[in-house]
Amino acid sequence: MAVLIALAILLAFVVVLLAKTVQIVPQARAGIVERFGKYQQTLDAGLKLIVPFIDNVRYRIDLREQVVSFPPQPVITEDNLVVSIDTVIYFQVTDPVAATYEIANYIQAVEQLTMTSLRNIVGGMDLEETLTSRDEINTRLRGVLDEATGKWGIRVNRVELKGIDPPPSIKDSMEKQMRADRDKRAAILTAEGQRQSAILSAEGMKQSAILTAEGDRESAILRAQADRESQILKAQGEGQAIQTVFQAIHDGQPDQSLLAYQYLQMMPKIAEGDANKVWIVPSEIGRALEGLGSTMSEMSGIPKDLPGPRTRVDMGSTSPEMPSVDASKKAANDAVQAAIREAEEAANPGRARRAQDVSGNAPDGDAGVEPPPAQI
């Protein structure tokens, strides 16, 4: 039994001895070994052996880059405004021995140094410059911290201002200022848009007016050309019609009887007007027609000696054949004489009865009495 107890004690001693002798240091770590309270050596990553019960791994230092966020701290700016600034520090231990023996708590030391340096830097800036100069503050703060922490075996890689919070009243004023600035920019953009729209509308109206004027001008030119050509064609047509009628009249060789007959045909049309209420046919219409015929026979364009028929216009094969001049003159004279007798009887029936009485056909009661002219 005593042997078993001795073996157990010996086994426990061996285990403790091995635990004190063999040390395993993780990657990116460093072990500070002290011998009787004095620095002995620094253990790198891996399996290490130390003297048991004499050497002791006092500290284990993390060599990786560390991130420490400090709580917001009140800082007074140059224009006497209190702002809260919270920072983030990125640092790395480069000398484990200095980080262990040169300062008791390097994280707390970095925090306090950051706050004092930040108050010194921001105290020389106003609020607006503080809000817009974060890069400058970060650069200056990193330079101060790196210089101060170098002897501690610490390297400050980066400093960031996580937040800058002005007082609530300042925030309200800043929001109003930003809102006014945005409203101003919106009004400017709206005015520029309206100006561009007005310019484009005016240019469009200008182009439309120009095109409309050009179209009206071309339309007026075309209408004028069409009217000119229409008038030319109309004048040519009227000229050809007049020439055709003129040649037809001369080819037909009108005489005194034909003109008197045409005059008699126009007399009823003269009496058809609405303003012609009374139309008096004179009793001497026979002598008037004879004077008219004699006068028309002397007019220019009606020759005294009628030549033979002339043909100046080709009327085509469908034109009717004209009778001989003697036959047409005889028929016209007979028609004119009949028309003259009818007109005399209608205008002065008393004279007609006297003429009949002289010849033995009129009654005795009507002799020597001449009635007044008839009214139509």
mmCIF file of all heavy atoms in Angstrom, residues 7-28:
data_model
loop_
_atom_site.group_PDB
_atom_site.id
_atom_site.type_symbol
_atom_site.label_atom_id
_atom_site.label_comp_id
_atom_site.label_asym_id
_atom_site.label_seq_id
_atom_site.Cartn_x
_atom_site.Cartn_y
_atom_site.Cartn_z
ATOM 1 N N LEU A 7 4.226 5.639 -5.491
ATOM 2 C CA LEU A 7 4.187 5.726 -6.954
ATOM 3 C C LEU A 7 3.210 6.802 -7.417
ATOM 4 O O LEU A 7 3.476 7.534 -8.397
ATOM 5 C CB LEU A 7 3.789 4.374 -7.539
ATOM 6 C CG LEU A 7 4.834 3.244 -7.411
ATOM 7 C CD1 LEU A 7 4.275 1.937 -7.917
ATOM 8 C CD2 LEU A 7 6.098 3.621 -8.173
ATOM 9 N N ALA A 8 2.088 6.911 -6.746
ATOM 10 C CA ALA A 8 1.115 7.938 -7.122
ATOM 11 C C ALA A 8 1.674 9.335 -6.919
ATOM 12 O O ALA A 8 1.507 10.239 -7.752
ATOM 13 C CB ALA A 8 -0.172 7.753 -6.334
ATOM 14 N N ILE A 9 2.368 9.513 -5.779
ATOM 15 C CA ILE A 9 2.971 10.823 -5.523
ATOM 16 C C ILE A 9 4.031 11.140 -6.567
ATOM 17 O O ILE A 9 4.147 12.269 -7.073
ATOM 18 C CB ILE A 9 3.539 10.863 -4.100
ATOM 19 C CG1 ILE A 9 2.389 10.771 -3.071
ATOM 20 C CG2 ILE A 9 4.355 12.136 -3.875
ATOM 21 C CD1 ILE A 9 2.859 10.648 -1.645
ATOM 22 N N LEU A 10 4.841 10.092 -6.908
ATOM 23 C CA LEU A 10 5.889 10.297 -7.913
ATOM 24 C C LEU A 10 5.283 10.652 -9.282
ATOM 25 O O LEU A 10 5.786 11.535 -9.986
ATOM 26 C CB LEU A 10 6.750 9.041 -8.014
ATOM 27 C CG LEU A 10 7.911 9.110 -9.013
ATOM 28 C CD1 LEU A 10 8.880 10.215 -8.647
ATOM 29 C CD2 LEU A 10 8.624 7.756 -9.067
ATOM 30 N N LEU A 11 4.187 9.995 -9.626
ATOM 31 C CA LEU A 11 3.538 10.283 -10.909
ATOM 32 C C LEU A 11 2.972 11.701 -10.954
ATOM 33 O O LEU A 11 3.112 12.416 -11.954
ATOM 34 C CB LEU A 11 2.414 9.259 -11.142
ATOM 35 C CG LEU A 11 1.641 9.399 -12.459
ATOM 36 C CD1 LEU A 11 2.574 9.260 -13.662
ATOM 37 C CD2 LEU A 11 0.518 8.370 -12.523
ATOM 38 N N ALA A 12 2.391 12.126 -9.870
ATOM 39 C CA ALA A 12 1.861 13.481 -9.814
ATOM 40 C C ALA A 12 2.985 14.508 -9.912
ATOM 41 O O ALA A 12 2.859 15.549 -10.586
ATOM 42 C CB ALA A 12 1.060 13.682 -8.538
ATOM 43 N N PHE A 13 4.090 14.238 -9.303
ATOM 44 C CA PHE A 13 5.231 15.152 -9.355
ATOM 45 C C PHE A 13 5.759 15.268 -10.780
ATOM 46 O O PHE A 13 6.107 16.361 -11.261
ATOM 47 C CB PHE A 13 6.327 14.665 -8.394
ATOM 48 C CG PHE A 13 7.558 15.499 -8.432
ATOM 49 C CD1 PHE A 13 7.611 16.743 -7.809
ATOM 50 C CD2 PHE A 13 8.703 15.041 -9.095
ATOM 51 C CE1 PHE A 13 8.769 17.485 -7.856
ATOM 52 C CE2 PHE A 13 9.842 15.810 -9.148
ATOM 53 C CZ PHE A 13 9.895 17.039 -8.521
ATOM 54 N N VAL A 14 5.814 14.107 -11.459
ATOM 55 C CA VAL A 14 6.299 14.124 -12.849
ATOM 56 C C VAL A 14 5.365 14.959 -13.735
ATOM 57 O O VAL A 14 5.816 15.728 -14.598
ATOM 58 C CB VAL A 14 6.441 12.692 -13.394
ATOM 59 C CG1 VAL A 14 6.726 12.704 -14.886
ATOM 60 C CG2 VAL A 14 7.531 11.944 -12.642
ATOM 61 N N VAL A 15 4.042 14.811 -13.542
ATOM 62 C CA VAL A 15 3.075 15.578 -14.344
ATOM 63 C C VAL A 15 3.234 17.062 -14.077
ATOM 64 O O VAL A 15 3.254 17.892 -15.022
ATOM 65 C CB VAL A 15 1.644 15.114 -14.041
ATOM 66 C CG1 VAL A 15 0.630 16.035 -14.697
ATOM 67 C CG2 VAL A 15 1.427 13.691 -14.508
ATOM 68 N N VAL A 16 3.377 17.434 -12.828
ATOM 69 C CA VAL A 16 3.545 18.852 -12.504
ATOM 70 C C VAL A 16 4.853 19.374 -13.072
ATOM 71 O O VAL A 16 4.945 20.497 -13.579
ATOM 72 C CB VAL A 16 3.466 19.062 -10.987
ATOM 73 C CG1 VAL A 16 3.828 20.495 -10.625
ATOM 74 C CG2 VAL A 16 2.090 18.733 -10.465
ATOM 75 N N LEU A 17 5.895 18.543 -12.998
ATOM 76 C CA LEU A 17 7.193 18.945 -13.524
ATOM 77 C C LEU A 17 7.132 19.190 -15.032
ATOM 78 O O LEU A 17 7.667 20.175 -15.544
ATOM 79 C CB LEU A 17 8.248 17.883 -13.188
ATOM 80 C CG LEU A 17 9.684 18.163 -13.631
ATOM 81 C CD1 LEU A 17 10.217 19.405 -12.919
ATOM 82 C CD2 LEU A 17 10.582 16.960 -13.359
ATOM 83 N N LEU A 18 6.465 18.279 -15.731
ATOM 84 C CA LEU A 18 6.314 18.472 -17.179
ATOM 85 C C LEU A 18 5.487 19.715 -17.487
ATOM 86 O O LEU A 18 5.777 20.444 -18.436
ATOM 87 C CB LEU A 18 5.662 17.239 -17.807
ATOM 88 C CG LEU A 18 6.523 15.965 -17.836
ATOM 89 C CD1 LEU A 18 5.726 14.793 -18.373
ATOM 90 C CD2 LEU A 18 7.777 16.192 -18.675
ATOM 91 N N ALA A 19 4.424 19.975 -16.731
ATOM 92 C CA ALA A 19 3.592 21.150 -16.957
ATOM 93 C C ALA A 19 4.378 22.423 -16.729
ATOM 94 O O ALA A 19 4.165 23.446 -17.422
ATOM 95 C CB ALA A 19 2.366 21.118 -16.066
ATOM 96 N N LYS A 20 5.293 22.418 -15.762
ATOM 97 C CA LYS A 20 6.109 23.590 -15.503
ATOM 98 C C LYS A 20 7.237 23.743 -16.512
ATOM 99 O O LYS A 20 7.726 24.852 -16.725
ATOM 100 C CB LYS A 20 6.692 23.521 -14.086
ATOM 101 C CG LYS A 20 5.687 23.633 -12.965
ATOM 102 C CD LYS A 20 5.111 25.058 -12.901
ATOM 103 C CE LYS A 20 4.186 25.228 -11.696
ATOM 104 N NZ LYS A 20 3.674 26.613 -11.609
ATOM 105 N N THR A 21 7.622 22.661 -17.124
ATOM 106 C CA THR A 21 8.773 22.713 -18.042
ATOM 107 C C THR A 21 8.341 23.021 -19.467
ATOM 108 O O THR A 21 8.948 23.844 -20.150
ATOM 109 C CB THR A 21 9.520 21.372 -18.007
ATOM 110 O OG1 THR A 21 9.944 21.090 -16.645
ATOM 111 C CG2 THR A 21 10.730 21.401 -18.908
ATOM 112 N N VAL A 22 7.309 22.393 -19.932
ATOM 113 C CA VAL A 22 6.858 22.550 -21.321
ATOM 114 C C VAL A 22 5.806 23.666 -21.386
ATOM 115 O O VAL A 22 4.798 23.616 -20.674
ATOM 116 C CB VAL A 22 6.283 21.231 -21.862
ATOM 117 C CG1 VAL A 22 5.789 21.426 -23.287
ATOM 118 C CG2 VAL A 22 7.320 20.119 -21.771
ATOM 119 N N GLN A 23 6.063 24.658 -22.286
ATOM 120 C CA GLN A 23 5.141 25.775 -22.481
ATOM 121 C C GLN A 23 4.780 25.866 -23.983
ATOM 122 O O GLN A 23 5.660 25.833 -24.850
ATOM 123 C CB GLN A 23 5.770 27.101 -22.041
ATOM 124 C CG GLN A 23 6.084 27.152 -20.548
ATOM 125 C CD GLN A 23 4.821 27.197 -19.715
ATOM 126 O OE1 GLN A 23 3.810 27.760 -20.133
ATOM 127 N NE2 GLN A 23 4.879 26.608 -18.510
ATOM 128 N N ILE A 24 3.503 25.960 -24.268
ATOM 129 C CA ILE A 24 3.024 26.098 -25.657
ATOM 130 C C ILE A 24 2.498 27.526 -25.829
ATOM 131 O O ILE A 24 1.555 27.931 -25.155
ATOM 132 C CB ILE A 24 1.927 25.068 -25.965
ATOM 133 C CG1 ILE A 24 2.463 23.641 -25.802
ATOM 134 C CG2 ILE A 24 1.374 25.298 -27.367
ATOM 135 C CD1 ILE A 24 1.432 22.568 -25.992
ATOM 136 N N VAL A 25 3.149 28.249 -26.730
ATOM 137 C CA VAL A 25 2.763 29.647 -27.006
ATOM 138 C C VAL A 25 2.005 29.686 -28.333
ATOM 139 O O VAL A 25 2.538 29.235 -29.360
ATOM 140 C CB VAL A 25 3.998 30.567 -27.069
ATOM 141 C CG1 VAL A 25 3.578 32.005 -27.338
ATOM 142 C CG2 VAL A 25 4.806 30.459 -25.764
ATOM 143 N N PRO A 26 0.740 30.188 -28.373
ATOM 144 C CA PRO A 26 -0.027 30.252 -29.635
ATOM 145 C C PRO A 26 0.608 31.235 -30.630
ATOM 146 O O PRO A 26 1.458 32.056 -30.280
ATOM 147 C CB PRO A 26 -1.416 30.724 -29.192
ATOM 148 C CG PRO A 26 -1.465 30.442 -27.722
ATOM 149 C CD PRO A 26 -0.058 30.610 -27.217
ATOM 150 N N GLN A 27 0.140 31.133 -31.886
ATOM 151 C CA GLN A 27 0.619 32.022 -32.932
ATOM 152 C C GLN A 27 0.179 33.455 -32.635
ATOM 153 O O GLN A 27 -0.917 33.698 -32.128
ATOM 154 C CB GLN A 27 0.061 31.566 -34.287
ATOM 155 C CG GLN A 27 0.549 32.356 -35.480
ATOM 156 C CD GLN A 27 2.023 32.153 -35.726
ATOM 157 O OE1 GLN A 27 2.540 31.043 -35.464
ATOM 158 N NE2 GLN A 27 2.707 33.170 -36.189
ATOM 159 N N ALA A 28 1.051 34.421 -32.980
ATOM 160 C CA ALA A 28 0.809 35.847 -32.758
ATOM 161 C C ALA A 28 0.654 36.168 -31.284
ATOM 162 O O ALA A 28 -0.070 37.102 -30.902
ATOM 163 C CB ALA A 28 -0.406 36.338 -33.536
#
